[in-house]
Amino acid sequence: MPDQSILLKAYRLMCRTHAMAGIYEANRAVCKYVHSTSRGHEAIQLATAFQLGPQDFVSPYYRDECMIAGLGFSPYEQMLQLLAKQDDPFSGGREYYSHPNYRGDDRPTIIHQSSATGMQAIPTTGIAQGIRYLEITNSPLLIKGAQGELPVVICSLGDASVTEGEVSEALQFASLKQLPIIFLVQDNDWGISVTAGEARAMNAYEFAGGFPGLYRAQVDGADFEASFKMMKDVCDFVRRERKPYLVHAKVPLLGHHTSGVRKEFYRPDTDWAEHLSRDPIPRLRKKLLETGITESDLLSIEQTAQDTVTEQFNQAVSAAEPDPSTVAEHVFVATPVTEEYGDRNSHAHDKIMMVDAALHAIREIMATNPEAVVYGQDVGRRLGGVFREAATLAEQFGDHRVFNTAIQEAYLVGSCVGMSAVGLKPIVEVQFGDYVYPGINQLVSEVSKSCYLSCGKFPVSMILRVPVGAYGGGGPYHSGSVETTILSIKGIKVVYPSTAADMKGLMKAAYYDPNPVVILEHKGLYWSKVHGTEEARTPEPDADYIIPIGKGRIALNASEESVDNGESCVVITWGMGVYWAKAAKMTGDKVEVVDVRSLFPLDEELIFERVRLHGKCLVLTEEQQNNSFAEALAGRIAKHCFTSLDAPVEVLGALNLPAVPMNVILEHAMLPDAEKTRQKIMALLSY
């Protein structure tokens, strides 16, 4: 059981956060940004924080201000975030209150996580997944405590979040792989205005019983002594046994849901009175009196807390606002790859397929970078990927580095956040572009925002491979092009190679880029089986070859004569469009083809230069045309090249249908091809 010094420390911090909640409520006009407080949850939060050391990891959720205090952050530091001030140590005024992130040697690491309910479960499980890998490989990246203690990971959640499917994915993976993670579920019976009885068939403890290998316990989270003992026992167990645990803590809710959704909107007085009867602060106060602490001592603690909070609140209110000129900082961290390097044609007589270029690139990466791991659906030893894009990798590098996962696109994407945070570089794959959507939530909420909202402390270094595109009757769920969807997400890079050499060079660049990179890989170009795509096979570049992300290439040149005579045009395209456009050269030597290779960042300098040179431009895409990236790009070209254009910028894409039909005749009718491209070019050249 905790000794008196720990009880006093807990009481001081409880009084402090109680005073913080009070001063926020008394200054609502100043505390204008939405926030939640920890009132009612203080005991379990402090009991948890007190178990953690610098080697550990914790993901608080939005009501965990008392846990943050227990980790050593001052009211002033917390209030800077509350008021979105310039010196907010977590996000520089970008993120909500009680959304910390921290990387340092003196406290547990806190990755960035969003406000989206329950979404932190997958990234945090990814941390535990990464730690397990570091243990297995005896990696020097594994940080131990002063006494050699192994790290534990804590993921804090509200009970309403456990109804989220992505929490289930995290519990499933943690149980299956027996990861050193503790899911702390704080259950106050409310999900905004929704009661537990309305929202869920069982509580988190009962739900955890369905996951074999997941240990579980329940505790009165308003009782500090019981909570401290429980969390100490659980943390000690997980440090020793390296197995997952779920702790279900019942707590009262003694504040508003948030400052904007107030308790009087929805909570009956009887419910409020019942919760108030379980307030952890008077319960701990009573215990301290029983241990010999005097009333005057407690009054002094309470007054000191109030004075400290008042003083630091006034300091925070007076602190500087962010400089507007910094608003675009920290979207990405700098990449070391800025120039093309290496021999692109080192094996001039040995052309390889795109799928093999990717395989060889990853093999070379893994041979020299032990932090590289590959996982996804069917990429393991038995199959090596449905396109054989990971064939032999598990045999060469082991099942701990190349392995299968369940059909969990959200887990695939979101776990990369945690894996990256411990120093690993995950290369993961969604089997088809049509199935990327379950992973979009993690890509949007967690991956893309992490660097920006942590002021560069937690860029997510990862590669997400997404096979896309239609050919040969793949049908409505294996033929989609998804670049517009992916490009709508800010904070990620997107590349789209169309040759084997570019595949290898861009894969290497993506690996060494410390930011998240999505590689869109056209299935029809993997083996050059589609007529007219033979040039996707190229001589294999050497192992050092690398292409900086954001640099396009000219895939086909028009003649100087046609350019000088004003009889040429340029096609801006990517993927399969490169080969449709090159096949349209039957119009003579009047067509230049620019393969952008990278959709974001985009080589606008090259695009605008070539459009200005030719005066006529076609943007060609396989995606459905309306509201597409291609149409947006055409508008950008029209704006920047307006005075050089001899004709409107044209766009050619697929028909605006909800899916690619199965029948090959219908598929052909929907998609662009070489002949449709030729006709569009002929019309453009007629201006």
Side-chain angles (χ1 to χ4, degrees):
M1 299 298 288
D3 61 27
Q4 190 181 75
S5 65
I6 293 174
L7 296 178
L8 281 169
K9 179 181 179 182
Y11 191 69
R12 290 189 183 97
L13 289 171
M14 285 188 189
C15 290
R16 201 173 83 182
T17 52
H18 182 268
M20 290 162 67
I23 206 166
Y24 301 164
E25 183 69 11
N27 293 271
R28 289 172 60 187
V30 175
C31 304
K32 59 186 177 182
Y33 301 112
V34 66
H35 58 271
S36 297
T37 71
S38 58
R39 284 293 290 120
H41 293 230
E42 297 96 336
I44 187 62
Q45 291 181 14
L46 292 172
T48 301
F50 290 174
Q51 313 307 321
L52 301 179
Q55 77 275 18
D56 297 319
F57 293 78
V58 59
S59 290
Y61 88 119
Y62 60 80
R63 202 175 292 284
D64 277 340
E65 66 173 349
C66 205
M67 183 185 294
I68 297 166
L71 294 173
F73 293 97
S74 69
Y76 179 67
E77 290 173 302
Q78 293 179 267
M79 292 167 179
L80 287 172
Q81 187 171 56
L82 171 84
L83 302 174
K85 295 291 188 170
Q86 173 180 281
D87 293 330
D88 158 24
F90 307 125
S91 67
R94 292 177 165 98
E95 182 60 286
Y96 298 103
Y97 183 56
S98 287
H99 286 63
N101 58 81
Y102 185 77
R103 190 190 288 276
D105 297 330
D106 59 334
R107 297 172 191 168
T109 298
I110 308 172
I111 63 170
H112 172 266
Q113 58 266 319
S114 74
S115 272
T117 303
M119 295 303 100
Q120 72 271 31
I122 287 177
T124 311
T125 305
I127 296 174
Q129 178 187 346
I131 288 172
R132 174 53 54 87
Y133 175 81
L134 298 179
E135 291 179 53
I136 291 171
T137 59
N138 294 311
S139 171
L141 295 173
L142 180 65
I143 305 300
K144 296 183 180 180
Q147 306 303 317
E149 307 103 326
L150 289 169
V152 298
V153 181
I154 291 185
C155 178
S156 182
L157 300 154
D159 196 66
S161 70
V162 180
T163 60
E164 286 278 3
E166 294 184 26
V167 175
S168 297
E169 290 192 21
L171 296 176
Q172 177 78 237
F173 198 91
S175 302
L176 177 67
K177 301 294 184 178
Q178 290 291 278
L179 302 180
I181 184 169
I182 300 162
F183 297 95
L184 171 62
V185 180
Q186 301 174 54
D187 183 1
N188 60 32
D189 284 323
W190 285 98
I192 309 185
S193 67
V194 180
T195 65
E198 292 175 283
R200 53 189 187 263
M202 64 199 79
N203 66 31
Y205 176 82
E206 295 161 339
F207 185 61
F211 295 90
L214 177 62
Y215 290 79
R216 57 184 179 143
Q218 296 191 95
V219 69
D220 178 356
D223 182 331
F224 177 76
E225 285 187 294
S227 295
F228 184 92
K229 181 178 186 305
M230 173 65 72
M231 293 311 298
K232 184 179 190 311
D233 289 347
V234 170
C235 287
D236 288 348
F237 174 87
V238 175
R239 279 192 208 285
R240 182 178 67 250
E241 301 296 331
R242 319 309 287 155
K243 298 179 184 296
Y245 227 112
L246 183 142
V247 176
H248 174 243
K250 285 290 293 182
V251 291
L253 177 60
L254 299 181
H256 308 289
H257 170 71
T258 66
S259 57
V261 183
R262 305 180 66 76
K263 67 180 187 295
E264 54 266 23
F265 295 173
Y266 62 91
R267 289 183 71 181
D269 291 342
T270 52
D271 176 82
W272 173 254
E274 191 280 324
H275 280 242
L276 196 60
S277 70
R278 295 186 279 128
D279 189 340
I281 295 179
R283 293 174 70 174
L284 181 55
R285 194 180 198 280
K286 181 174 182 291
K287 178 64 180 179
L288 285 167
L289 289 170
E290 292 171 355
T291 64
I293 301 299
T294 66
E295 177 71 17
S296 62
D297 289 336
L298 295 178
L299 290 172
S300 175
I301 289 171
E302 291 157 11
Q303 187 60 52
T304 298
Q306 185 64 58
D307 293 344
T308 299
V309 165
T310 300
E311 178 185 1
Q312 295 192 22
F313 180 74
N314 291 334
Q315 291 173 354
V317 170
S318 300
E321 297 288 345
D323 182 343
S325 68
T326 66
V327 69
E329 293 178 358
H330 305 300
V331 177
F332 297 112
V333 292
T335 175
V337 181
T338 57
E339 300 291 338
E340 187 169 0
Y341 179 83
D343 189 346
R344 185 178 173 93
N345 298 292
S346 62
H347 306 283
H349 302 294
D350 301 313
K351 291 186 176 182
I352 63 168
M353 300 180 292
M354 268 184 59
V355 70
D356 287 339
L359 175 63
H360 296 176
I362 294 174
R363 180 183 296 148
E364 291 164 0
I365 286 167
M366 296 188 75
T368 56
N369 297 276
E371 67 275 14
V373 293
V374 174
Y375 56 100
Q377 297 158 23
D378 299 302
V379 302
R381 181 187 300 262
R382 194 173 296 113
L383 183 60
V386 294
F387 302 105
R388 305 294 289 157
E389 71 282 1
T392 73
L393 291 178
E395 286 88 343
Q396 183 172 354
F397 299 107
D399 296 328
H400 64 297
R401 292 188 70 188
V402 183
F403 56 90
N404 291 327
T405 62
I407 303 171
Q408 294 181 334
E409 288 84 3
Y411 189 86
L412 278 174
V413 175
S415 61
C416 294
V417 177
M419 294 282 276
S420 175
V422 300
L424 300 178
K425 179 80 176 198
I427 303 171
V428 299
E429 178 183 315
V430 171
Q431 229 164 49
F432 295 93
D434 302 271
Y435 300 132
V436 75
Y437 297 99
I440 293 292
N441 201 359
Q442 288 290 324
L443 200 60
V444 172
S445 297
E446 312 302 327
V447 172
S448 69
K449 295 178 173 63
S450 183
C451 186
Y452 182 68
L453 294 180
S454 68
C455 291
K457 293 192 288 296
F458 289 99
V460 181
S461 186
M462 63 173 284
I463 297 174
L464 174 60
R465 299 181 66 186
V466 185
V468 295
Y471 77 99
Y477 293 100
H478 297 81
S479 305
S481 294
V482 297
E483 52 261 39
T484 297
T485 298
I486 301 298
L487 288 165
S488 70
I489 305 167
K490 313 310 173 190
I492 60 175
K493 299 184 179 182
V494 184
V495 299
Y496 199 145
S498 63
T499 70
D502 289 339
M503 172 68 87
K504 189 170 185 181
L506 288 169
M507 184 70 75
K508 294 290 182 73
Y511 182 80
Y512 293 109
D513 196 307
N515 302 289
V517 181
V518 176
I519 302 183
L520 302 176
E521 306 175 14
H522 200 294
K523 307 186 306 294
L525 300 179
Y526 268 156
W527 304 284
S528 295
K529 287 184 176 180
V530 177
H531 177 69
T533 63
E534 293 77 13
E535 291 183 13
R537 299 188 186 208
T538 66
E540 181 172 6
D542 66 23
D544 294 329
Y545 182 63
I546 195 164
I547 301 169
I549 294 174
K551 295 295 184 181
R553 70 182 180 101
I554 298 176
L556 180 70
N557 285 292
S559 69
E560 290 186 16
E561 181 181 1
S562 65
V563 175
D564 292 341
N565 293 335
E567 297 174 344
S568 65
C569 72
V570 61
V571 179
I572 310 297
T573 190
W574 50 93
M576 189 65 77
V578 172
Y579 299 96
W580 293 330
K582 291 175 78 171
K585 65 183 179 181
M586 63 185 70
T587 57
D589 54 3
K590 300 178 181 180
V591 178
E592 178 176 292
V593 179
V594 172
D595 178 0
V596 300
R597 299 194 294 195
S598 173
L599 303 182
F600 190 86
L602 186 66
D603 194 346
E604 293 184 346
E605 182 179 354
L606 175 65
I607 292 170
F608 297 159
E609 171 196 302
R610 306 317 293 176
V611 172
R612 289 174 181 135
L613 175 67
H614 294 280
K616 302 182 184 73
C617 174
L618 169 66
V619 181
L620 176 60
T621 179
E622 185 173 326
E623 272 199 301
Q624 293 91 327
Q625 182 172 326
N626 274 16
N627 305 315
S628 64
F629 165 68
E631 286 196 332
L633 177 55
R636 204 178 316 167
I637 292 170
K639 177 181 178 180
H640 286 275
C641 304
F642 180 74
T643 59
S644 301
L645 291 173
D646 299 322
V649 179
E650 295 286 351
V651 180
L652 176 61
L655 298 181
N656 299 303
L657 306 176
V660 180
M662 176 76 77
N663 182 278
V664 292
I665 297 173
L666 297 176
E667 177 189 81
H668 179 74
M670 177 186 179
L671 299 177
D673 59 20
E675 176 57 25
K676 294 173 186 176
T677 303
R678 188 188 71 83
Q679 292 176 11
K680 199 75 170 179
I681 290 172
M682 291 295 291
L684 185 60
L685 289 172
S686 69
Y687 274 90

